[in-house]
């Protein structure tokens, strides 16, 4: 039982290394003396007794602003979170587990870290590429004096002054980009589950810097791979035509990953093999066998994903035709393959066959070649489902323009909705391989909303149950562009509308799907308590119901519940206490409104005795709406009750 005053998100004790020191104290308390000083020798004893070799090779990535970036990582948020009640109470959204959050992603990540720590299965981000042409939209400059920054970041005054000058400018240097990305990646790591992974799209401008900074944050041993995505054909006359970009992949803990990633296609492959075995045993007549499989195929084609081409069956199993008989890129082998019906040579591939003639003859003898109705069609190679190889290749090759085409179909009223949106195919591929059908997928550079749409599509088509969290800054759209002319004043509005339209599309294409196609909206607002002199015990107006607007009231409730470990999608119940409204969520009772009465206090004690599902372990009250006398009355009554019942019940006063 305790009663204490608590100030959330205080800057007082935050320094450039405060998070790291807190972790050390939590896991290695024996390495600190009673004054809080670190004892290096005791940490070395732990290392030596566990036969861990100390690396003699050390290197790190340093840049102007690194100490400032680490300080940004540790500083608490300067905002509160509030919900869009009108949107969230719509029938399709009120029970949804999906989230769209409006605000600066660094602020949002700091809000999420308490409740969502180690809960996210996969993160995908497509951050600014730092091409050198545009200024960053995200501005992380804080209002420090050089003296304050020097003390907090443990740097000298001259360096603090240079950093402040540097962060105040709109620089597109490598240092500016690294200062921007470091705190976001650091907090992102905290959100990942032990077997979680992060994928980061990037081009050549910052690839090397991204790899090094990810090595530092995630650990070099947790690097999975760098995927090369060939996504464009560059016809401009240059020394070297750049036709690709990259996706960098890191794990939270690579040792916790499955030894081999398999997509949903592997599961579907197994099901196809099961059905083929069943039907082959049941039907010996080839026509009856094909007829039975065709019936099953038509009923289940929408669930087959990448394997929806496998629509034939024979005594060898389910199969499809592949045009891989041709020789790509250079001249192959030229010979005649005779059509079994016409007796003429089949039309050869333009570059010839990829196999030697004796190999082709063996394939024909093994019934592995498919012919067209006549000799005008190039033959195909018969591929059985059991031969399907499902692997995550380090080389992707598909048209990057697919993303823009998808958006045009969703927004037919605009010619160009968004600049360089990622295709859903990319996200569906990443999610399918590294996730097992469920989990939280986070994208804190949501852009047009590709990640959210991909989750909805996968859930509908493959019966998965992914939940998305998308975060987008309300960046203003260009008044000269189609989006603004169509009524979208910010990128966030496009993100929101895309999710709505893609949900409607998924529902129309999968009418039997009954699960979650909605999403809740939250957003950051300025913390009204900062520099607010109105809410003080010396000002009688703080008892006025109008002191807190509804948005301010709801933002306190939302932010506090999240800080205390409740997910944004957890239900917050309204509790009527005589003539006072309180709120209850995951064992915590929140008292925010003014005019708390003795009758309300009596009702708390009454409910503790008589309501089975009312058993708070913590009471949180808004100190600005409770004078000292009311706080004492509440504390004495709750303490007395808890002691009598031998309960652990804390009372916290927040301002």
């Amino acid at each position: 039982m305790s009663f204490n005053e608590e100030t959330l998100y205080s800057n007082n004790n935050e320094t450039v290394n405060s998070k790291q020191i807190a972790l050390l104290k939590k896991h290695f308390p024996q390495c600190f003396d009673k004054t809080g000083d670190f004892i290096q020798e005791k940490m070395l004893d732990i290392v030596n007794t566990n036969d861990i070799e100390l690396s003699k090779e050390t290197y790190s990535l340093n840049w102007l602003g690194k100490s400032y970036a680490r300080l940004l990582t540790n500083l608490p948020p300067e905002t509160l979170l509030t919900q869009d009640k009108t949107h969230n109470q719509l029938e399709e959204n009120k029970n949804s587990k999906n989230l769209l959050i409006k605000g600066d992603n660094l602020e949002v990540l700091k809000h999420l870290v308490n409740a969502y720590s180690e809960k996210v299965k996969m993160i995908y981000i497509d951050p600014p590429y730092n091409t050198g042409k545009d200024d960053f939209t995200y501005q992380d400059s804080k209002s420090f004096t050089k003296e304050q920054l020097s003390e907090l970041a443990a740097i000298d005054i001259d360096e603090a002054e240079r950093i402040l000058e540097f962060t105040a400018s709109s620089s597109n240097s490598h240092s500016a980009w690294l200062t921007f990305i470091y705190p976001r990646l650091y907090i992102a790591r905290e959100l990942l589950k032990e077997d979680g992974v992060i994928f980061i799209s990037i081009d050549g401008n910052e690839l090397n810097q991204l790899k090094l900074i990810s090595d530092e944050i995630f650990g070099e041993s947790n690097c999975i791979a760098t995927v090369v995505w060939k996504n464009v054909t560059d016809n401009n006359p240059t020394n070297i035509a750049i036709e690709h970009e990259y996706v960098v992949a890191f794990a939270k803990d690579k040792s916790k990953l499955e030894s081999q990633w398999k997509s949903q296609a592997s599961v579907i492959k197994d099901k196809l093999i099961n059905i083929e075995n069943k039907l082959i045993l049941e039907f010996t007549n080839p026509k009856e066998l094909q007829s039975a499989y065709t019936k099953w195929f038509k009923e289940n084609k929408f669930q087959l994903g990448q394997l929806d081409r496998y629509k034939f069956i024979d005594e060898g199993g389910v199969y499809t035709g592949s045009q891989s008989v041709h020789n790509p890129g250079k001249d192959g082998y030229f010979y005649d393959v005779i059509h079994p019906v016409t007796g003429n040579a089949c039309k050869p591939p333009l570059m010839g066959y990829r196999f030697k003639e004796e190999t082709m003859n063996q394939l024909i003898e093994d019934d592995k070649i498919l012919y067209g109705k006549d000799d005008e069609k190039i033959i195909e190679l018969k591929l059985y489902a059991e031969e399907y190889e499902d692997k995550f290749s380090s080389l992707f090759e598909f048209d990057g323009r697919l993303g823009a085409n998808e958006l045009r179909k969703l927004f037919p009223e605009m010619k160009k909705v968004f600049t360089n949106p990622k295709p859903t195919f990319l996200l569906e591929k990443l999610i399918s391989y590294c996730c097992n059908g469920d989990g939280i997928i986070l994208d804190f550079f949501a852009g047009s909303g590709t990640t959210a749409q991909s989750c909805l599509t996968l859930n509908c088509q493959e019966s998965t149950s992914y939940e998305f969290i998308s975060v987008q800054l309300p960046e203003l759209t260009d008044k000269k562009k189609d989006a603004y002319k169509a009524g979208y004043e910010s990128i966030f509005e496009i993100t929101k509308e895309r999710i709505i339209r893609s949900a409607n599309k998924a529902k129309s294409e999968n009418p039997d799907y009954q699960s979650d196609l909605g999403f809740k909206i939250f957003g950051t607002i300025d913390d009204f308590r900062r520099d607010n002199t109105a809410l003080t015990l010396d000002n009688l107006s703080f008892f006025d119901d109008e002191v807190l607007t509804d948005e301010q009231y709801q933002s306190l409730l939302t932010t506090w519940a999240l800080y205390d470990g409740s997910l944004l999608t957890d239900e917050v119940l309204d509790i009527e206490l005589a003539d006072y409204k309180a709120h209850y969520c995951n064992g915590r009772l929140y008292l925010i409104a003014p005019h708390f009465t003795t009758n309300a206090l009596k009702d708390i004690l009454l409910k503790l005795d008589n309501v089975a599902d009312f058993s708070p372990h913590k009471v949180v009250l808004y100190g600005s709406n409770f004078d000292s006398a009311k706080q004492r009355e509440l504390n004495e009554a709750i303490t007395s009750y808890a002691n009598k019942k031998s309960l652990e019940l804390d009372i916290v006063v927040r301002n």
Side-chain angles (χ1 to χ4, degrees), residues 41-60:
E41 289 75 15
K42 289 194 174 183
M43 178 59 77
L44 287 174
D45 286 343
I46 295 172
V47 171
N48 292 331
T49 54
N50 285 278
D51 295 326
I52 299 173
E53 292 190 14
L54 296 175
S55 174
K56 295 181 173 60
E57 177 186 324
T58 60
Y59 73 95
S60 62

Side-chain angles (χ1 to χ4, degrees), residues 91-108:
E91 186 63 29
E92 63 268 28
N93 301 322
K94 64 181 183 181
N95 296 316
S96 179
K97 299 296 184 182
N98 300 315
L99 294 170
L100 173 61
I101 306 176
K102 177 169 64 175
D104 181 284
N105 52 21
L106 182 55
E107 282 286 301
V108 173

Side-chain angles (χ1 to χ4, degrees), residues 75-220:
L75 289 176
E78 296 182 344
T79 57
L80 299 173
L81 273 180
T82 192
Q83 66 165 309
D84 184 338
K85 291 180 68 176
T86 302
H87 174 91
N88 293 355
Q89 290 172 358
L90 294 174
E91 186 63 29
E92 63 268 28
N93 301 322
K94 64 181 183 181
N95 296 316
S96 179
K97 299 296 184 182
N98 300 315
L99 294 170
L100 173 61
I101 306 176
K102 177 169 64 175
D104 181 284
N105 52 21
L106 182 55
E107 282 286 301
V108 173
L109 290 171
K110 290 178 178 181
H111 280 298
L112 293 178
V113 74
N114 271 17
Y116 289 86
S117 177
E118 299 188 347
K119 288 186 172 65
V120 175
K121 175 60 179 174
M122 175 186 139
I123 297 173
Y124 170 79
I125 56 172
D126 183 16
Y129 282 6
N130 192 20
T131 61
K133 297 177 181 178
D134 301 309
D135 292 338
F136 288 137
T137 301
Y138 295 79
Q139 297 295 330
D140 293 330
S141 182
K142 305 296 181 185
S143 298
F144 295 116
T145 65
K146 59 184 179 183
E147 290 79 15
Q148 289 171 328
L149 182 58
S150 172
E151 181 179 356
L152 289 170
I155 55 179
D156 61 44
I157 289 289
D158 290 341
E159 184 177 353
E161 188 171 16
R162 284 196 299 135
I163 290 173
L164 290 176
E165 291 175 356
F166 156 70
T167 57
S169 67
S170 55
S171 172
N172 286 311
S173 66
H174 293 306
S175 292
W177 192 86
L178 288 166
T179 302
F180 155 79
I181 203 68
Y182 179 92
R184 290 163 171 83
L185 290 183
Y186 192 98
I187 300 174
R189 183 187 179 278
E190 297 182 49
L191 298 174
L192 284 174
K193 298 174 67 175
E194 280 196 336
D195 62 348
V197 294
I198 182 170
F199 295 99
I200 309 167
S201 282
I202 201 69
D203 70 355
N205 290 295
E206 294 295 349
L207 173 65
N208 295 332
Q209 285 66 242
L210 174 62
K211 178 64 171 61
L212 286 172
I213 202 171
S214 296
D215 283 343
E216 181 171 325
I217 293 170
F218 294 93
E220 191 175 355

Side-chain angles (χ1 to χ4, degrees), residues 46 172 182 195 211 348 356 364 386 414 417 420 451 482 506 533 584 596 606 608 647:
I46 295 172
N172 286 311
Y182 179 92
D195 62 348
K211 178 64 171 61
K356 294 180 179 180
I364 293 171
E386 65 180 14
M414 287 185 272
V417 186
N420 299 323
T451 302
D482 289 354
T533 58
Y584 187 68
F596 184 82
L606 191 64
L608 284 169
L647 298 176

